[in-house]
Amino acid sequence: PAQTDNIIVNSGQTLTLNGDKTINDIDVDGTIVVGSDAFIVDGVSDIDGTITISTGTVDANGAFDATNGTITFSGAGNLMLFSTVTGLGTLSSDIGTVTYDGAGDQGIVEDAYYNLAAVGGGIKTLGGDVTVANDFTIDPVVTIAMDTHDLSVTNATNIDGNLTIAGNVLTLDGATDIDGTITISTGT
């Protein structure tokens, strides 16, 4: 497919990537398998089926909605989300990374993540309680606003940017590297 093409994967169908691909919109009711490839979606991603990511990257630059879908990591792959995220559906929480990489403000969907990274810039606001089973990273140009939601990280936390806590609970059980700022107005 060409970069301006829209891809539809119907229910019962499987599309396995063979090399790096960039497309416009994607509508998945079946299954997409991303091995070690880079799959860039410049337009809208509507995932009601399954995306399986091994060690590759799915880079969704437009609106992303997998509310009724499944995102499965079978290796140390990365799901990069640049724009508005409505939902992540059933998300693997035992391997893989979800990276919110929008240049401006962005919501982080309530979910249980394995690795979670906030990069790109702006204020990333928790849209609900967030649990990170492994590592959590905040880049220097990013502020995480917990709003009224809890954040729990089991392994390493690297805060190079800002984290604001107000009326909620932050739990960091692993090693923590804070080169940025944690601001606590209320909460614990």
Side-chain angles (χ1 to χ4, degrees):
Q3 186 170 351
T4 57
D5 288 343
N6 297 326
I7 302 294
I8 298 172
V9 180
N10 291 318
S11 180
Q13 301 296 311
T14 299
L15 173 64
T16 302
L17 287 186
N18 184 9
D20 297 347
K21 301 288 182 205
T22 300
I23 63 162
N24 189 35
D25 295 341
I26 189 157
D27 183 356
V28 178
D29 293 321
T31 301
I32 288 189
V33 178
V34 179
S36 60
D37 306 305
F39 183 45
I40 301 168
V41 182
D42 285 333
V44 173
S45 298
D46 180 16
I47 313 301
D48 294 318
T50 301
I51 294 179
T52 300
I53 307 167
S54 179
T55 57
T57 298
V58 173
D59 188 358
N61 292 318
F64 187 90
D65 184 2
T67 303
N68 298 313
T70 301
I71 300 168
T72 302
F73 289 98
S74 61
N78 194 353
L79 172 62
M80 301 177 71
L81 304 166
F82 184 82
S83 187
T84 302
V85 179
T86 304
L88 296 176
T90 303
L91 174 67
S92 288
S93 61
D94 58 347
I95 197 166
T97 300
V98 175
T99 302
Y100 288 84
D101 67 339
D105 296 351
Q106 198 173 16
I108 294 178
V109 175
E110 174 179 8
D111 218 316
Y113 300 85
Y114 182 70
N115 291 315
L116 178 61
V119 304
I123 299 171
K124 315 280 191 225
T125 304
L126 300 187
D129 292 347
V130 169
T131 302
V132 182
N134 199 43
D135 297 343
F136 177 54
T137 302
I138 304 172
D139 268 7
V141 293
V142 174
T143 295
I144 295 289
M146 290 176 55
D147 198 29
T148 59
H149 307 292
D150 296 344
L151 173 62
S152 176
V153 182
T154 302
N155 201 25
T157 300
N158 185 4
I159 301 171
D160 289 329
N162 301 297
L163 178 66
T164 60
I165 304 168
N168 41 29
V169 177
L170 171 65
T171 305
L172 305 175
D173 288 333
T176 303
D177 179 12
I178 302 171
D179 295 321
T181 304
I182 296 178
T183 303
I184 302 172
S185 58
T186 59
T188 55

